[in-house]
Amino acid sequence: QSLFSQFNTELFMVFSKRIIFIYTTLILFPIFLGIIVFTSNLQKEQIENVKRENELYLQENIQNINSYIDSFAQLESAANANDDFMLFLINRNNELSLEEIDTLKKESKVLSRLLLVIPDIYALRLFIDNDYIPESWPVIINSKRFDVSSINKWEFNFVADFMGNFNQYMDKSVCLTKPFAYKGNKIGNIQISMKMEDFFSFAYEKISPNINNYIFKVENQELIPITNDKINAINTPLTESEIALLSLFYNDNKSNSSSFKIHTSKGQTIFSYEYIPRMGIAIFTGFNLTTLNHQFLWSKCVATILLCLTGFLFYFVIRFATMRLMNRVFVLMNGLKEVGKGNLD
C-alpha cells in the first residue's frame, strides 16, 4: 500500500509538472512570438518612415538648388537686356570720351543693382574681351584680368583672388562662368557667384544628429566630394571606401534619384540622393539608424524581461491551479479504485 501510494504521488508530480509546462508554454509562446513580430514590423515601418522623411527633406533642398540655378539664368538674361549697352560693348573700337566713361559707370551700377533684386546672388562680373572698354569694378572687368579657361563652367568653393582689395568677394562660393554674347556676337564671359553657405545651406546646418548631407561632383560615373572645413565640421566626413561604396550603389541604380541602405563606420545608414543634370552634381542625404536600432533593441530587451517576469507569474498561477485540480482528480481516481476493490468506506 505504501509503495502504491508513493508511486501515485510520483506519478501525480510528473504529470502535474508536464501539465504546468504545457499550459505555460501555450500561453507564453504566442505572446513571445507576437512581441517579436510586432517589434519587427514596427521597426520596418519606422525605417520606411525615416526613408520617406529623408526623401522629402532631400527634395526640399533640391528644389532650393533648382530655384538658385533659375536665379542665375534670370540674372544673365537681365544683364543682356540693354540692347544699346550690349552693342556699345561689342562695337567699340576707340578710346572712350569722359561722357562715355560716365555712361559705362552708370550701366555698371545698374548691373550691380540687379543683385538687390536677387539678394541671394553674391557677385556678378562681366569679363569683357574688348580692350577699349575700361574696367568698372566690381562688375566690368577686362578678360585679361582672369583666365576663365582655367576653371570649369561650375566651380565650387571658388575664391575670386583676382578681386584684390575687394575682401567682400573673397568668400567661398558656387560660381557659374560661361560665354556672354549678344545676338551671336561674343562680348566676353559672364560670371555669377553665390556663397556656398547660401547655395548649399542644408550642408551648413545640423537639423538632427542622425542626418548628414553630402555634395558630390559626378565625373565619369565617379563621385568626387565637394566639401570644405565648415561642411566637414557639421557633417561626418566619409572615408574613401564609403565614397566608393556610394559610387557603386549610385551607378547600379541607373536613376537620377533613389534610396538605399548601407553600413558605414557610424553604423547602418539610409542614403537618399538626387542628381542635378544642370550642374553635374549629386546631393546625398544620409540618416544614421544606429540610435533607432538601439531604441528597438532596448525595447526588445525590456519586452523580454517583462515576458520572463510574466512567465514566472504565470508559472506559479498555473502551478497552483493545476496542483489543486490534479489533486482532486487523483483523489477521485483513488476513490474509484477503492470502490472497485469493494471498499465502500
Side-chain angles (χ1 to χ4, degrees):
Q1 181 70 26
S2 176
L3 288 173
F4 180 76
S5 177
Q6 183 179 356
F7 174 76
N8 280 347
T9 302
E10 290 177 358
L11 181 62
F12 169 73
M13 293 303 297
V14 170
F15 189 68
S16 298
K17 287 179 180 178
R18 287 181 179 177
I19 292 295
I20 292 169
F21 175 76
I22 292 171
Y23 280 161
T24 305
T25 302
L26 287 175
I27 293 173
L28 293 184
F29 181 73
I31 296 175
F32 177 74
L33 190 61
I35 291 174
I36 295 297
V37 172
F38 174 76
T39 52
S40 296
N41 289 339
L42 184 61
Q43 186 174 13
K44 288 179 182 178
E45 185 179 346
Q46 284 289 86
I47 290 175
E48 282 299 316
N49 288 337
V50 166
K51 179 183 172 183
R52 282 193 293 269
E53 291 175 5
N54 211 39
E55 290 173 346
L56 287 173
Y57 172 65
L58 174 64
Q59 280 303 312
E60 290 178 6
N61 296 330
I62 295 298
Q63 287 174 6
N64 289 335
I65 290 174
N66 283 325
S67 70
Y68 297 147
I69 297 174
D70 292 339
S71 296
F72 278 37
Q74 290 170 6
L75 186 58
E76 180 184 356
S77 297
N80 211 342
N82 189 327
D83 294 341
D84 292 338
F85 184 57
M86 293 298 105
L87 290 172
F88 175 79
L89 295 176
I90 294 170
N91 297 326
R92 194 69 199 183
N93 56 12
N94 54 20
E95 300 291 336
L96 271 65
S97 65
L98 292 177
E99 183 180 349
E100 289 171 327
I101 291 175
D102 286 340
T103 301
L104 181 68
K105 289 180 178 179
K106 288 178 182 177
E107 291 296 335
S108 177
K109 288 179 180 179
V110 170
L111 291 174
S112 295
R113 291 193 189 102
L114 291 176
L115 300 181
L116 300 176
V117 179
I118 312 175
D120 291 325
I121 301 296
Y122 175 52
L124 167 66
R125 306 180 190 97
L126 294 181
F127 294 98
I128 307 300
D129 292 341
N130 191 337
D131 290 335
Y132 287 109
I133 303 297
E135 295 180 317
S136 181
W137 286 56
V139 177
I140 297 177
I141 303 171
N142 190 279
S143 294
K144 296 177 181 177
R145 182 76 62 175
F146 177 69
D147 181 14
V148 295
S149 65
S150 65
I151 61 174
N152 298 311
K153 179 181 178 180
W154 287 100
E155 285 288 334
F156 307 94
N157 292 311
F158 180 79
V159 177
D161 296 326
F162 56 86
M163 293 302 291
N165 295 327
F166 285 81
N167 293 327
Q168 67 268 34
Y169 298 109
M170 296 298 179
D171 291 330
K172 292 179 179 179
S173 63
V174 175
C175 180
L176 169 66
T177 306
K178 57 185 295 189
F180 187 63
Y182 177 75
K183 295 183 177 179
N185 298 299
K186 189 170 185 290
I187 296 172
N189 288 276
I190 186 170
Q191 189 173 81
I192 303 171
S193 297
M194 187 171 174
K195 291 181 181 180
M196 284 281 292
E197 57 194 71
D198 292 333
F199 199 95
F200 298 120
S201 58
F202 56 88
Y204 287 82
E205 59 186 13
K206 196 72 171 175
I207 65 169
S208 167
N210 298 319
I211 293 179
N212 291 287
N213 293 289
Y214 304 99
I215 310 155
F216 294 98
K217 190 175 183 180
V218 182
E219 286 188 356
N220 300 320
Q221 295 186 328
E222 183 182 357
L223 298 180
I224 302 171
I226 298 171
T227 188
N228 54 47
D229 292 339
K230 286 185 178 180
I231 292 176
N232 286 339
I234 295 170
N235 304 278
T236 305
L238 296 169
T239 64
E240 289 185 8
S241 60
E242 289 168 348
I243 294 173
L245 189 59
L246 287 183
S247 296
L248 182 64
F249 275 88
Y250 174 80
N251 292 321
D252 283 347
N253 278 324
K254 301 183 185 302
S255 172
N256 282 349
S257 63
S258 185
S259 295
F260 52 85
K261 187 165 54 177
I262 65 171
H263 285 273
T264 67
S265 59
K266 298 299 180 181
Q268 197 177 46
T269 303
I270 289 180
F271 279 100
S272 300
Y273 76 85
E274 181 157 341
Y275 176 67
I276 304 176
R278 290 193 288 177
M279 296 185 76
I281 64 173
I283 308 298
F284 281 72
T285 296
F287 189 100
N288 189 283
L289 296 173
T290 301
T291 302
L292 188 64
N293 288 337
H294 284 169
Q295 289 175 349
F296 276 106
L297 181 61
W298 173 249
S299 298
K300 288 179 180 178
C301 289
V302 171
T304 302
I305 292 171
L306 291 175
L307 183 63
C308 290
L309 294 175
T310 305
F312 278 114
L313 179 62
F314 268 117
Y315 173 79
F316 287 112
V317 171
I318 293 171
R319 184 175 182 274
F320 174 76
T322 303
M323 294 295 278
R324 290 194 63 182
L325 175 62
M326 296 307 297
N327 186 52
R328 291 177 182 177
V329 170
F330 270 83
V331 168
L332 180 60
M333 288 175 64
N334 286 333
L336 291 174
K337 287 179 181 179
E338 292 296 323
V339 171
K341 293 176 182 180
N343 186 2
L344 302 178
D345 292 335

